[in-house]
Amino acid sequence: MKEPGKNKLDQLFREGLSNAEDKYAYRESDWSAMEELLDEDGKKKPVGLWVRWISGIAALLFLAFGWYLVSEKNKPQQQNYAANGRVKKPATVAQNIPDQTGQQQTRAEQANAGSTKKLGLTKAGELVVSAINQSVARRGQAVAKEIKESGFNPSVVGDSLTAPLRQASEIASIEIKPDDLNMPALTNTGINDTVVQLKGSTKAIIKSKVAKDHSGAVPAFALAFTGSPDLNSASAFKDVQLGKNVSVMLTMQVNKWVFSTGAGYAVKNYGLGPGKYNAPLMPASWAQSSVAADCKVLDIPLNVSYQVFSKGRNAINLGTGLSSYFMLREHYDFGTVSNSYGTYQATYDISNKNKHILGILNLNATYQRQLNPKLGLLVQPYYKLPLTGIGNGKVDLQSAGVALGFSWNISSAKPK
Amino acid sequence: MGEAELKRVIEACLKQDRKQQKMLYKAYYGFAMSICIRYAGNRYEAAEIMNQGFLKVFTNLHKYDPQRPFMAWLGRIMINASVDYYRSNLKIAYQDDLEKAEHISDDNLPDQKLLYEDLIAMVQKLPQAYRTVFNLYAIEGYTHEEIAAALNISTGTSKSNLFKAREKLRRMIAENGIKSPGSYGEMSTIQVVAISNITHRITFVHNEFIR
């Protein structure tokens, strides 16, 4: 602050404009507008809670991801397939078979030490199990052999194509215990019938075991990079203008559900005719002009989608969610405007003023084609519907487009 | 509003008592409006700025130090709201031919006070960038460095805008023949003779005449 200047003009205005409070009589309409502001401010408080919720969910996602990475690192290599999708040679699978059968036989021999009656029943049960296990192993070996003979080279193809081979090796390595079979009390005369009956149900048991192994809710994480031309309109797509957007998303897939969040940068252009744009603090002369808007937006989505189709390397998800728009920069051009003082080019710039927390509904469908275990191609038609007025003029800004991009698996999840 | 009553009203406002909020608003309406109107183009805009200022008052009332004058605190908030209005809303690309026009000296200014209505009308006619700097410098007493920081402009721009604001105000006084009562005499005036629709430039002519 400085001492009042001695400039004569400044002094003239300073003195002439001072002590003017009596010039402005109170207006009830101004208080009504004030009350609206106070009410709006009161409603904003829950938004703070939402922000905390979003932050919490995002933090949980990242924590889960961190936990998963750590546990994956510490996990011993117990499975028959390596993390990169390659499988062990079928010969190795075949070598394992006598060992497993041998183990069963050893157990059966150990059981001989029991009581005579019980020994008989246990022995019968063990024989059944042994027979089934051998059958299962043979079946797995046959499938693996068949695939090998067809000239299939698992080291050069994608994850989805190695799935049958893995399944074969898994089948071969499955050990079925008497408890799995829910065996009835066996009699010597009924053993043969029971073996036949149980062999018939082996397929169902194997399926159940394989499904059980894969049903663990271990999340699979991926990054998705997309870009698209963005069709924008503030007049129900009557006047559409082209913008663009790019985004980076972190996705977490648990079974068929995919949760995703990330950030997108969008350039949203739109136009409105004379009298259709009305912002607070807008001179009346401007409201009579048409406006061309150019907005830079940070889009933070929180989406969930469900896999409705999955076959081989292709998958289709349908998703929805909510986006928060942070209006980084808003530029409005009203063209040439006249007032009592002259004619001028009226533009209107705002930076980082407006934000719309969870104010946009996202609807999308995603087609994904897996190119290899890590890389996938994405095509995503989307539609963004505002639940609140967007930008300084609170316009009904809708966006649609088809995003193209790719996904990159950052965790070695179990194959589907 | 007396000191004791003000204290009571503030305490009630802190509890979000809408009736007492209205009472505070009503009591300081004229004072707040007299500040905001100087930064606005019209009363509608002034009311918008003032309400944004009062919103800050109501939401930051817990920060008010009762040892200090309430009006000074309120006035500062209203000025800040006006500066926010400048920063966030209007940046008009305004061009004129000021450089080509002749400088008018302060000798042509009337010696006595002018009517409030005339002065405020002239200030409101200034482009917003000039008006804001003129208010902050000439009326509120900010330095160019403070203004530059508040408006996110350079000190050079602040000085330039102040110079242009003063020039325009001098011309308006001369153009409109505004004078203090009883000071009729030799006047010089500036007339707008052309406004270009292509370049949007306004051309002034300096006339001398005797009333």
Side-chain angles (χ1 to χ4, degrees):
Chain A
M1 285 286 224
K2 60 180 177 54
E3 288 298 310
K6 288 180 181 173
N7 182 290
K8 195 178 174 183
L9 184 86
D10 293 359
Q11 203 174 344
L12 184 74
F13 278 86
R14 189 164 51 247
E15 289 172 1
L17 294 174
S18 61
N19 301 320
E21 46 261 51
D22 296 340
K23 304 279 181 190
Y24 299 99
Y26 168 77
R27 286 183 183 173
E28 192 64 32
S29 58
D30 289 342
W31 170 250
S32 301
M34 182 74 238
E35 275 198 301
E36 278 179 29
L37 276 178
L38 286 168
D39 291 340
E40 271 179 35
D41 190 62
K43 282 178 198 164
K44 276 181 189 170
K45 277 166 191 164
V47 170
L49 285 175
W50 275 108
V51 172
R52 281 194 281 276
W53 270 105
I54 295 167
S55 310
I57 291 165
L60 277 176
L61 273 173
F62 282 96
L63 275 175
F65 176 54
W67 165 80
Y68 177 70
L69 282 185
V70 170
S71 62
E72 274 294 298
K73 256 190 178 177
N74 296 334
K75 201 173 3 184
Q77 297 290 320
Q78 292 172 338
Q79 291 158 347
N80 284 336
Y81 55 90
N84 64 3
R86 293 184 184 187
V87 296
K88 284 187 179 179
K89 290 174 187 173
T92 314
V93 175
Q95 282 165 10
N96 291 337
I97 297 165
D99 294 345
Q100 287 174 4
T101 317
Q103 279 172 7
Q104 294 294 329
Q105 284 167 346
T106 307
R107 281 184 206 160
E109 282 164 12
Q110 285 168 354
N112 285 339
S115 68
T116 311
K117 195 178 175 186
K118 192 164 183 180
L119 177 72
L121 289 175
T122 308
K123 208 168 183 179
E126 292 292 346
L127 282 171
V128 170
V129 168
S130 176
I132 291 169
N133 276 333
Q134 281 180 38
S135 163
V136 167
R138 274 197 301 277
R139 192 174 154 213
Q141 194 182 9
V143 173
K145 195 179 170 192
E146 198 178 314
I147 293 168
K148 196 183 176 190
E149 281 171 2
S150 68
F152 175 77
N153 182 358
S155 63
V156 296
V157 297
D159 183 65
S160 57
L161 290 180
T162 61
L165 202 51
R166 272 199 308 277
Q167 197 182 356
S169 67
E170 282 172 11
I171 290 167
S173 66
I174 284 172
E175 182 187 332
I176 295 173
K177 295 171 187 170
D179 290 347
D180 295 328
L181 302 177
N182 193 20
M183 284 198 302
L186 296 173
T187 60
N188 287 333
T189 51
I191 284 178
N192 285 337
D193 292 343
T194 310
V195 168
V196 172
Q197 196 183 350
L198 289 172
K199 274 188 176 178
S201 64
T202 304
K203 200 176 170 183
I205 294 164
I206 290 166
K207 272 188 179 175
S208 151
K209 281 221 137 201
V210 171
K212 199 178 172 186
D213 284 348
H214 286 175
S215 66
V218 179
F221 289 86
L223 286 174
F225 304 87
T226 58
S228 72
D230 201 26
L231 299 174
N232 301 300
S233 174
S235 52
F237 285 99
K238 282 175 192 158
D239 176 18
V240 178
Q241 291 195 18
L242 194 63
K244 55 196 163 195
N245 78 47
V246 288
S247 71
V248 182
M249 301 285 285
L250 173 67
T251 66
M252 180 180 83
Q253 180 162 5
V254 182
N255 298 329
K256 291 196 165 193
W257 291 95
V258 181
F259 303 90
S260 56
T261 185
Y265 175 79
V267 177
K268 298 197 176 288
N269 301 318
Y270 62 89
L272 277 174
K276 290 186 177 169
Y277 183 86
N278 195 12
L281 305 178
M282 179 76 66
S285 55
W286 295 24
Q288 302 309 313
S289 304
S290 57
V291 64
D294 176 10
C295 302
K296 310 287 188 287
V297 180
L298 177 65
D299 179 353
I300 309 283
L302 203 59
N303 291 339
V304 60
S305 62
Y306 186 77
Q307 196 172 70
V308 292
F309 171 82
S310 175
K311 193 172 183 184
R313 291 187 288 177
N314 303 309
I316 294 174
N317 289 12
L318 291 180
T320 185
L322 294 170
S323 262
S324 300
Y325 277 180
F326 295 85
M327 309 300 284
L328 303 176
R329 186 172 162 267
E330 297 171 62
H331 173 78
Y332 302 99
D333 192 338
F334 294 86
T336 304
V337 172
S338 298
N339 64 12
S340 58
Y341 194 65
T343 304
Y344 57 89
Q345 191 72 25
T347 59
Y348 191 87
D349 285 281
I350 310 161
S351 297
N352 300 313
K353 189 189 171 195
N354 295 303
K355 48 184 177 286
H356 311 290
I357 305 295
L358 301 178
I360 296 90
L361 176 68
N362 293 325
L363 299 171
N364 59 53
T366 308
Y367 165 72
Q368 180 168 1
R369 182 173 176 79
Q370 203 65 31
L371 301 175
N372 63 40
K374 285 283 181 189
L375 190 66
L377 190 70
L378 296 173
V379 181
Q380 185 181 66
Y382 65 87
Y383 177 53
K384 287 175 173 287
L385 183 71
L387 304 174
T388 180
I390 304 297
N392 207 53
K394 308 230 177 297
V395 299
D396 181 29
L397 178 59
Q398 299 177 38
S399 302
V402 180
L404 298 174
F406 61 91
S407 67
W408 183 259
N409 290 329
I410 50 178
S411 61
S412 50
K414 288 181 180 179
K416 286 163 196 170
Chain B
M1 186 179 285
E3 209 168 300
E5 194 183 0
L6 177 65
K7 197 181 167 193
R8 185 190 59 76
V9 170
I10 287 174
E11 278 171 10
C13 287
L14 284 168
K15 292 171 188 164
Q16 311 300 323
D17 183 329
R18 190 56 64 85
K19 264 189 176 176
Q20 300 304 315
Q21 284 177 332
K22 186 177 181 180
M23 187 174 277
L24 191 76
Y25 181 86
K26 217 170 170 177
Y28 291 94
Y29 178 93
F31 171 71
M33 182 60 91
S34 71
I35 294 171
C36 298
I37 195 87
R38 286 193 272 110
Y39 291 86
N42 53 52
R43 184 157 177 175
Y44 167 76
E45 285 178 19
E48 296 277 0
I49 298 170
M50 181 187 68
N51 281 352
Q52 289 295 336
F54 267 112
L55 185 63
K56 286 181 184 175
V57 168
F58 289 130
T59 51
N60 292 285
L61 211 47
H62 59 283
K63 294 179 187 168
Y64 166 64
D65 176 5
Q67 304 300 318
R68 299 189 173 200
F70 182 73
M71 273 179 87
W73 185 73
L74 183 80
R76 179 60 68 92
I77 287 180
M78 291 301 156
I79 292 166
N80 287 344
S82 304
V83 168
D84 282 350
Y85 167 65
Y86 166 84
R87 291 184 65 169
S88 64
N89 286 284
L90 299 172
K91 283 177 188 166
I92 301 171
Y94 199 95
Q95 292 181 315
D96 56 35
D97 275 352
L98 264 182
E99 290 77 8
K100 293 178 187 171
E102 281 183 47
H103 173 70
I104 303 172
S105 78
D106 283 351
D107 297 340
N108 293 312
L109 294 173
D111 292 328
Q112 294 173 30
K113 266 193 168 186
L114 297 179
L115 289 171
Y116 174 85
E117 287 73 16
D118 289 335
L119 290 172
I120 199 68
M122 283 188 278
V123 169
Q124 287 187 331
K125 277 184 180 176
L126 288 173
Q128 197 196 5
Y130 301 171
R131 182 168 67 226
T132 307
V133 172
F134 180 76
N135 269 305
L136 290 172
Y137 186 91
I139 315 289
E140 322 293 358
Y142 282 77
T143 64
H144 283 299
E145 286 72 25
E146 288 169 331
I147 295 168
L151 303 183
N152 199 22
I153 58 175
S154 68
T155 51
T157 304
S158 176
K159 286 175 184 174
S160 167
N161 285 354
L162 177 67
F163 171 80
K164 288 173 180 173
R166 283 172 174 165
E167 284 293 288
K168 280 184 176 294
L169 290 170
R170 287 191 189 101
R171 283 171 207 289
M172 279 188 252
I173 290 170
E175 179 189 341
N176 297 320
I178 296 170
K179 55 203 176 298
S180 56
S183 67
Y184 284 85
E186 197 172 279
M187 293 291 293
S188 72
T189 188
I190 302 295
Q191 288 184 336
V192 175
V193 294
I195 299 171
S196 166
N197 285 329
I198 299 165
T199 63
H200 317 303
R201 286 171 182 247
I202 305 166
T203 307
F204 297 92
V205 168
H206 186 198
N207 289 329
E208 297 248 349
F209 68 98
I210 297 173
R211 291 188 77 152

